[in-house]
Amino acid sequence: DPETFAKRLLTGRAAENFFLANYRAEPEFESLNAIDVTQTGCGFDFRLQHNTPSVFSAVEVKGIRLEKGGIILTNKEHSVASSLRESYYLYIVKNFDDEPYAVKYCNPILSGLGFQRVERTIVQVTWSAKL
């Protein structure tokens, strides 16, 4: 449904903007610089750089319009979160319809959120022409 996708995209962008405006309020993040990696397909949205160049925290940002709702991790996000463990944070911005606030999970795969694997088969149609 294109309308649902558009709403999810807007909520996601709003959540990312909320994160950038507020992440330094989190004690673990206050001295770190956020690097936007949303377009790189690396399995998270922001790389928070520590003083040592090879040390960083990864943050995946999700947004929920209401106080409660569901979130989806891509297979890549789940895999990277499983690999990075305590260096991976899930930052969920809730309640966009009223007053947004964030909930943060360190090592989200083992945080008790109870992620369930969902498999879907998708048919993709393409059109080709010889020139």
Side-chain angles (χ1 to χ4, degrees):
D1 176 13
E3 185 177 330
T4 301
F5 176 77
K7 284 182 183 176
R8 283 189 16 224
L9 186 62
L10 286 174
T11 303
R13 294 264 190 256
E16 291 164 2
N17 290 337
F18 183 94
F19 171 78
L20 285 173
N22 296 284
Y23 79 94
R24 288 187 191 268
E26 301 290 340
E28 303 97 314
F29 302 161
E30 66 184 348
S31 66
L32 306 179
N33 291 321
I35 301 165
D36 184 338
V37 293
T38 55
Q39 303 301 312
T40 66
C42 63
F44 52 91
D45 295 317
F46 296 95
R47 179 183 174 107
L48 298 182
Q49 195 60 54
H50 295 254
N51 289 335
T52 306
S54 62
V55 178
F56 69 95
S57 294
V59 180
E60 174 60 26
V61 178
K62 302 288 183 184
I64 300 174
R65 295 216 66 79
L66 305 173
E67 292 252 4
K68 295 187 182 231
I71 61 163
I72 296 171
L73 291 184
T74 66
N75 197 46
K76 175 81 174 230
E77 291 164 353
H78 190 278
S79 175
V80 173
S82 296
S83 174
L84 292 179
R85 299 177 184 247
E86 287 81 22
S87 296
Y88 194 101
Y89 292 85
L90 182 57
Y91 187 93
I92 303 172
V93 183
K94 297 180 168 190
N95 204 30
F96 274 106
D97 284 348
D98 190 12
E99 190 172 332
Y101 66 93
V103 178
K104 178 181 77 231
Y105 297 90
C106 179
N107 196 359
I109 305 308
L110 299 179
S111 68
L113 288 171
F115 287 101
Q116 300 293 316
R117 179 183 172 106
V118 178
E119 290 188 31
R120 291 188 194 135
T121 301
I122 298 172
V123 175
Q124 182 175 352
V125 176
T126 61
W127 298 77
S128 66
K130 296 204 185 270
L131 303 176

